[in-house]
């Protein structure tokens, strides 16, 4: 290990096995102390050890999947007897992005934010593990199509669906250059292992969000402690770049289908630099879904207007329940 905030005299560097911040208290440690690991969704595949795709070397233990089920890091807030709200981050981001929303929702709800992989079946497994009753789902950005697909198969499980700057129109069918670069051969492999490009740049290039160093400590940590985060980012980016157009078309079809029964709200941060607002208002009118505009927020609504968003979500769900 090396200390990435150590004085210059101590030296610095980067490795796939990662580094860490100083041994003293820091925001990253404090955040992860709040959460726990939830086991859900069986691990499939051959059981062979994962290898890096460039040199074929076996990756370290920290980059290997567990032998039984996936482990999901989640942070819960509020009384577990209250109605459950599950907060799902976008791509690429983390549950930490909802840190300003959780305290607001915890007053009246059981709020759960978690780090996840983009699989419909795995999402279903996680939701069933953490909530036996009906839930409200909040999802942001490019992971919205996956959640909408899950919701279409599990409408009876949902009270509400709240979408934060989701890709909805034909203009949204291409990944922005900041994300598509991770899918490029070799270059993407390198950039996806760079915590500054993978976390800082991806989160600050899409809107007004200005990342503080304390927050950066949390967002960079996965890329510093294991190569698996970078490889996952690379793989998801490749799949998203290839399939995004179909994802958007499926999302539109589901949300406009006459058999869609889930109360749906679109919250739109109007300072989004990745997704164009054109046609979003028309989509909501034609599909009869509620639209709420947030003038000061960008693509990551929960980062720019977290407390305001928490109040909006709380109000929407309370009227439903």
């Amino acid at each position: 290990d090396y200390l990435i905030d150590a004085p210059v005299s101590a030296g610095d560097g980067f490795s796939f096995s990662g580094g860490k911040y100083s041994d003293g208290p820091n925001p990253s440690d404090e955040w992860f102390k709040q959460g726990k690991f939830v086991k859900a969704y069986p691990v499939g595949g051959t059981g062979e050890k994962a290898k890096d795709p460039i040199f074929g070397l076996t990756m370290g233990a920290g980059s290997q999947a567990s032998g039984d089920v996936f482990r999901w890091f989640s942070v819960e807030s509020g009384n577990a007897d209250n109605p459950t709200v599950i907060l799902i981050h976008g791509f690429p981001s983390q549950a930490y992005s909802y840190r300003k929303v959780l305290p607001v929702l915890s007053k009246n709800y059981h709020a759960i934010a978690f780090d996840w992989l983009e699989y419909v079946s795995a999402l279903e497994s996680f939701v069933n593990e953490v909530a036996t009753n009906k839930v409200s789902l909040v999802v942001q950005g490019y992971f919205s199509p996956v959640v909408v697909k899950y919701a279409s198969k599990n409408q009876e499980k949902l009270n509400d669906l709240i979408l934060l700057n989701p890709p909805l129109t034909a203009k949204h069918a291409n990944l922005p250059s900041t994300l598509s670069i991770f899918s490029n051969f070799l270059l993407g492999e390198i950039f996806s292992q760079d915590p500054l490009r993978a976390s800082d740049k991806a989160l600050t290039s899409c809107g007004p969000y200005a990342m503080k160093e304390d927050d950066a400590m949390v967002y960079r940590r996965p890329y510093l402690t294991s190569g698996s985060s970078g490889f996952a980012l690379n793989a998801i980016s490749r799949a998203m770049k290839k399939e995004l157009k179909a994802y958007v078309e499926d999302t539109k079809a589901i949300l406009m289908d006459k058999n869609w029964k889930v109360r749906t709200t679109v919250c739109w941060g109007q300072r989004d630099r990745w997704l164009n607002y054109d046609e979003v208002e028309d989509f909501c009118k034609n599909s009869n879904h509620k639209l709420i505009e947030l003038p000061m927020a960008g693509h990551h609504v929960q980062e720019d207007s977290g407390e305001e968003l928490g109040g909006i979500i709380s109000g929407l769900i309370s009227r439903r329940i």
Side-chain angles (χ1 to χ4, degrees):
D1 288 337
Y2 62 88
L3 304 179
I4 63 175
D5 59 350
V8 175
S9 59
D12 55 13
F14 182 80
S15 72
F16 284 147
S17 61
K20 59 180 180 179
Y21 287 92
S22 61
D23 291 326
N26 67 68
S28 179
D29 292 334
E30 293 303 314
W31 169 251
F32 287 104
K33 284 179 183 177
Q34 294 182 42
K36 65 179 181 180
F37 281 101
V38 175
K39 289 187 174 183
Y41 192 69
V43 176
T46 63
E48 295 180 2
K49 293 292 184 182
K51 298 181 179 180
D52 79 79
I54 303 176
F55 304 108
L57 302 175
T58 300
M59 296 166 66
S63 297
Q64 303 288 349
S66 62
D68 48 3
V69 291
F70 280 119
R71 297 180 306 132
W72 312 76
F73 175 76
S74 67
V75 174
E76 298 186 43
S77 185
N79 191 326
D81 293 331
N82 288 336
T84 298
V85 184
I86 297 180
L87 305 168
I88 303 171
H89 64 77
F91 168 65
S93 188
Q94 299 174 32
Y96 184 69
S97 65
Y98 286 106
R99 65 194 177 279
K100 303 172 189 174
V101 179
L102 283 166
V104 179
L105 291 180
S106 65
K107 297 174 183 178
N108 299 302
Y109 303 99
H110 178 216
I112 302 173
F114 71 103
D115 295 331
W116 78 305
L117 298 175
E118 183 214 2
Y119 299 107
V120 174
S121 53
L123 176 61
E124 180 178 0
S125 179
F126 177 85
V127 173
N128 291 338
E129 182 66 27
V130 300
T132 55
N133 298 320
K134 297 180 73 171
V135 303
S136 297
L137 294 183
V138 180
V139 57
Q140 181 263 325
Y142 286 101
F143 280 166
S144 298
V146 181
V147 177
V148 170
K149 187 173 182 179
Y150 159 80
S152 70
K153 298 179 179 180
N154 299 273
Q155 293 193 53
E156 74 288 347
K157 182 75 174 179
L158 272 63
N159 283 316
D160 285 89
L161 177 65
I162 300 174
L163 307 173
L164 313 177
N165 284 55
L168 291 172
T169 75
K171 292 183 178 180
H172 300 163
N174 294 310
L175 277 183
S177 58
T178 308
L179 301 183
S180 63
I181 195 171
F182 297 128
S183 64
N184 294 344
F185 178 71
L186 190 58
L187 190 64
E189 303 282 3
I190 296 172
F191 285 160
S192 64
Q193 300 293 347
D194 177 355
L196 297 181
R197 188 175 289 273
S199 60
D200 295 35
K201 185 173 179 58
L203 289 167
T204 58
S205 65
C206 56
Y209 177 52
M211 186 182 293
K212 298 179 180 178
E213 187 62 25
D214 283 355
D215 297 328
M217 288 184 179
V218 183
Y219 279 122
R220 295 171 191 161
R221 179 167 172 169
Y223 301 96
L224 291 164
T225 56
S226 168
S228 58
S229 298
F231 289 121
L233 174 63
N234 182 270
I236 294 174
S237 177
R238 288 181 177 178
M240 191 73 72
K241 187 175 183 180
K242 181 180 179 181
E243 303 292 343
L244 184 56
K245 183 178 180 180
Y247 291 163
V248 172
E249 290 175 351
D250 288 347
T251 298
K252 289 176 62 178
I254 291 170
L255 294 178
M256 298 188 77
D257 191 283
K258 63 180 181 180
N259 294 318
W260 179 252
K261 306 298 183 183
V262 179
R263 172 170 161 167
T264 303
T265 302
V266 175
C267 294
W268 197 271
Q270 293 189 304
R271 297 175 68 183
D272 191 333
R273 297 175 189 157
W274 283 353
L275 297 179
N276 195 303
Y277 183 63
D278 292 349
E279 301 178 25
V280 172
E281 189 172 8
D282 289 339
F283 170 84
C284 290
K285 286 181 179 179
N286 294 335
S287 59
N288 200 31
H289 298 317
K290 187 177 182 66
L291 173 64
I292 297 177
E293 301 171 359
L294 291 91
M296 302 308 295
H299 184 71
H300 293 279
V301 183
Q302 67 272 39
E303 285 285 14
D304 298 319
S305 304
E307 294 174 354
E308 179 184 2
L309 178 64
I312 291 172
I313 295 171
S314 183
L316 289 169
I317 297 173
S318 66
R319 284 196 294 271
R320 175 65 171 178
I321 295 174

